[in-house]
Amino acid sequence: MSIAKTYNPKEAEDKWYSYWMSHGFFRSVPDDREPYTIVMPPPNVTGVLHMGHMLNNTIQDVLIRRARMQGKNACWVPGTDHASIATEAKVVAMLKEKGIEKSSISREEFLEYAWEWKEKYGGIILKQLEKLGASCDWERTKFTMDPDLSEAVLDTFIKFYKEGYIYRGIRMVNWDPEGKTALSDEEVIRKEVNQKLYYIRYQIKDSEESVIIATTRPETIMADSAICINPLDERYKHLQGKTVLVPLINREIPIIQDEYVEMEFGTGCLKVTPAHDLNDYELGQKHNLEVIDILNDNGSLNEKAQILIGEDRFIARKKIAVLLEEAGQIEKIEDYKSQVGFSERTNAAIEPKLSMQWFLKMDKLSKPALEYVEDGTIKLIPDKFFASYKHWMENVKDWCISRQLWWGQRIPAWYNEKNEWVIAKTELEAVKEFESQGKMASGLRQEDDVLDTWFSSGLWPMSVFDGVRNPENADFQYYYPTNDLVTAPEILFFWVARMIIMGHDYTQKPPFRNVYLTGIVRDKLGRKMSKSLGNSPDPIELMEQYGTDGVRVGMLLSSPAGNDLMFDVSYCEQGRNFANKIWNAFRLVKGWEVVEKEATASQKTAAKWFESRFNQALIEIEEHFSNYRLSDALMSTYKLIWDDFCSWYLELIKPAYQSPIESETLAIVKGLFQKVLKLAHPFMPFITEELWHDEIFGDRTEKECIIIADFPKVGQFDESLIKEFSTVQQIISEVRNIRNSKGLSPKVALPLAINATNIDYSKYQDSIVKLANIEELTFVKEKVSGAVSFLAGKDECYITLENNIDIDAEKERISKEIEYLQGFLISVDKKLSNERFVQNAKPEIVENEKNKKADAEAKIKILEESLASLNS
C-alpha cells in the first residue's frame, strides 16, 4: 500500500476519532486494573471552545492517553455546568429579541425557554472537544442540573443545614445590578478605576458653619445616616452632639464620633451610609443608625432617594454633581483612582446591599481543606499558588450561597402563610416538617432563590459517580478519589477549595491528589486572549489550518504549568512541521527496497546508540511527567524524534541512492519507529494512529491500536556509547560547518585526520565517512600542518584544504575560540572557589563543574598549539 506524499490531518482525524469511539476505547468500567481518573472542569453550558479550553483539555488528554497506554483503567468524565448567571443572562437576551420580558412570564415558562436553549446550544463545546481529540468516556457525560446531580445538591444543602452550617439572615452582600443577584466575594473582581472625588459641603443645623465631606459616590448622599469624625481630631471637637443637613434634601442627621475615621484621609469627616457600604453598615450597627436603602435591584434610585427617582445610579451621579454645583454645595472635584468591584459574570459594578440571603459557615469546614494542601496530601502544581491559597483559607468568610435567579437548583426551603419556614426536599416533606413543629402548613410556597453554581459544582468529583446519593456504589468506590485535576488558577477558590471542602466533609478523603494549574493564554503583546479584544484565534479554524496534532503541540510547547503562555500561531506551524517531519521520515522508511541481508557493523552500532539514547531520553521524559512539566516532556520527545531519530539515526542507516536496505536493519528500524510513535501518541494521537496501522508494521487486528499500546518503559542504556557518539556527531557537524564557511559544495569529499586520545573510532569510521563525506580518514599522533583544526571532545581533528585555507581567518577563528573558553574557565573557577557552592551542592554537580574545568583547560592547550603551528 502506497502512502500519500503529504499528511492529510482532517482525513486521519475524522477516521480515527470515529474508530476509537465505535470500538469503545474511551469507555471505562471498574475492573481489577489501577484506576486513573480525571473529571473535566465542566465548561459553562453557554460556552464555545476558546484557547483556554484548548490548553486545559489538551493537557488532560495527554495525561489520560498516557495513563491508558500504561495499562491503567483511564476514565475521563466530561460534562457541562449550568452556569446560573451566565445562562440566565443568555436566555433573558434571547427572550428580549422575541419581545418578551422575563418579568412578564412565570418561572415555569422561563425555565421551559431555558431548557430549550440548553438543549439547542448546551452541547456545542463538547462536540468541539471531540475535534481536539479528547478521549473522554462520553457515555459518562454529566450536566450539573441532571436530575441525579440536582438531587445530590439538595441532599447536601439539607445535610449542611441539619449540621448547623447553613443559616438565613440579612447581611451586606455583593449585589450585581445587571444579574439582579447576590454574589460571593470570590465572584467579585477588583479593578482600579479612574474616578472623581467630590468635596461636598454639609450645613450644620442652626449655624453658618459647614463641614466638608469627600466622597466618590455623591449619588448615595440621600441614604446618609450620620457624619462621623475621629474623637481625637481637634478640628472637629466643637461639633460633638450637633447635627447637619443632607444637601439637596435637607434631612437632619447626627454627627457621631468613632476612631474608625482616618483623620488624614480627605477632610477627616466621613459620611456614613449604612445601606450602601459594608464598613458603613458595621459602623451603623455599632451606633444604632437608620439604614436607608435608596437603590432598586437594577441599580436605579427608588422613592427613598426623594430626588432623581428611577434614574440609573451612574446617571444620577452626574446629575447630583450638577445639582450640588448649582446649590453651591460643591467645594471642589479632584481626579481619583480607587479599587471598584465588578461582577465576574456580567462585569457590572457591584453594589454593597443589605439583603436576606442564605449562608454557609466556612470556618470549621475550611480547616481540613487547608491541611490537605499543607501536608502535601493534595499538591498544587506549581506550588507558587500555595501562599495565596493558604491566605484565603485562613481568612475565609461565610459563603453567600443564594442567588436571585430562576435557573439553577432551587433552595429547598418552604414558607407558610406566616412566613415561617422549614427545610425539606419536597412539599410533602415540608408539610410533615411544619406539622412536627406544631405549625400550620397552609399556603406553602418554595424559596424563590437558587443555589450558587459553585455549590453544585463543588460536588462534581463525587456527584458524577453518584457518590453523594449512593456512596457504596461500585463506580464511586473504584474511581474516587480521582487522580489529577487540571484547571485555571483563577478558580482555585471558586471551585477547587469548595470541592476539597465538600469531598472531605462527605468522605474524609480529598477529591483528587494533584491540582495542575494552567496559565492564562496571552497574545504576543502579553494581553489576555479574548473575543472583546479580537486577539483570540478561533480554535476550530486553527485545527483546520494546522491539523489538530499541530495545534496540540503548539499549545503545549509554550505552556509551562502555572505560567502564562504567550501564544503565537507560529507555534502551531512548528507543530504542523513536526507532524510533517514524522510523516516524511515514515515515507522514507516505507520507500526502501529490501535485500535479505544482515545489518552492517555500523548500522548495528547506530541502532545500539539510538536505543540507548531513547532510554536515556525516556528517563528525562518520565521525570518531566512525574513533575507535571508537560511542555518539557514534549520538548524532550520533540528533540528525540526530530534530532536523534530523524536527523541522525535514519541518516546513519539510510542506504545509498537506489540501493536496497538490509532486511535486518529494516526490522530494527521498524521496531524503533513504533517505539517513537508510542512515545509521541499522547501528544499527537491522530498521526501516530494513522502510521501505526500501515502495512509495513504487519497485520493488526481491529483492537491493536496505538491508543492502547504499551507506553515505552525505560530500558538499559550504554552511557559511554552515547558519550562517544556525541563526539562523533561533533566531528560530522564541524566538517559540515567548515564546508559551509569555505563555500564548498557538500559533494566535495574532504580528507580528515583525527588525533584520537581515548575513543576507538573504528566502529564509527563508516558513519563519519558517510555523513561527513570524507574521502580519506586517517589517525595521527602529531599535528597536521597547514590544516584547519577543530576540537571534538578532547580529540583534535584536521581538515586539509590544500590552497583553500585562509591562514589569517583560521588564526582569528582559533583566537576567538580560545578567548571564549578562557571566559568560560573564569566562570567555572568562580563557582569552584565559592565555599558555599562546594559545600551545599550535590557531589555529582561539583564533580561535573570540575570536569568542565579540565575539558576547557585541555581544549585551550590544544588550540594554543594549533595557533602556534599556524604562526610558525
Side-chain angles (χ1 to χ4, degrees), residues 199 212-214 228-237 256-270:
Y199 289 78
I212 309 297
I213 310 295
C228 191
I229 56 176
N230 192 303
L232 301 178
D233 197 331
E234 295 291 339
R235 294 172 295 175
Y236 302 118
K237 276 196 171 180
I256 62 173
Q257 293 182 317
D258 199 287
E259 291 180 355
Y260 168 76
V261 178
E262 295 178 23
M263 292 186 285
E264 296 78 20
F265 178 76
T267 63
C269 288
L270 174 75

Side-chain angles (χ1 to χ4, degrees), residues 43-83:
N44 287 354
V45 74
T46 61
V48 293
L49 199 64
H50 59 59
M51 297 304 286
H53 292 134
M54 286 280 286
L55 173 62
N56 185 291
N57 286 282
T58 297
I59 290 168
Q60 290 176 85
D61 195 50
V62 168
L63 293 173
I64 211 82
R65 284 181 182 273
R66 177 170 171 267
R68 190 182 287 120
M69 295 177 75
Q70 289 175 320
K72 296 174 185 176
N73 190 343
C75 179
W76 183 11
V77 181
T80 50
D81 188 277
H82 64 276

Side-chain angles (χ1 to χ4, degrees), residues 177-194:
E178 188 171 321
K180 298 187 186 66
T181 181
L183 303 176
S184 66
D185 290 342
E186 293 72 49
E187 290 169 290
V188 178
I189 309 300
R190 310 294 299 183
K191 300 178 188 176
E192 189 170 70
V193 175
N194 291 320

Side-chain angles (χ1 to χ4, degrees), residues 51 54 537-548 551 555 567 569 572:
M51 297 304 286
M54 286 280 286
D538 182 333
I540 301 297
E541 289 180 7
L542 278 180
M543 289 187 280
E544 292 286 345
Q545 185 174 358
Y546 296 102
T548 298
V551 176
M555 292 292 293
F567 180 79
V569 291
C572 296

Side-chain angles (χ1 to χ4, degrees), residues 622-692:
E622 290 290 355
E623 185 183 355
H624 289 321
F625 269 117
S626 66
N627 290 294
Y628 293 85
R629 296 192 296 262
L630 268 65
S631 58
D632 293 336
L634 172 59
M635 184 50 74
S636 295
T637 303
Y638 181 99
K639 288 178 178 176
L640 177 73
I641 295 173
W642 190 297
D643 296 338
D644 298 316
F645 186 70
C646 295
S647 299
W648 286 104
Y649 176 63
L650 291 183
E651 290 299 315
L652 284 165
I653 55 95
K654 182 171 71 174
Y657 181 64
Q658 290 191 334
S659 298
I661 191 165
E662 294 79 359
S663 55
E664 185 184 5
T665 299
L666 183 60
I668 295 169
V669 172
K670 288 192 290 186
L672 293 174
F673 214 132
Q674 289 177 88
K675 290 178 76 170
V676 161
L677 291 176
K678 287 194 282 188
L679 193 60
H681 177 76
F683 303 108
M684 309 174 77
F686 293 110
I687 190 171
T688 51
E689 193 72 84
E690 176 74 8
L691 295 177
W692 182 258

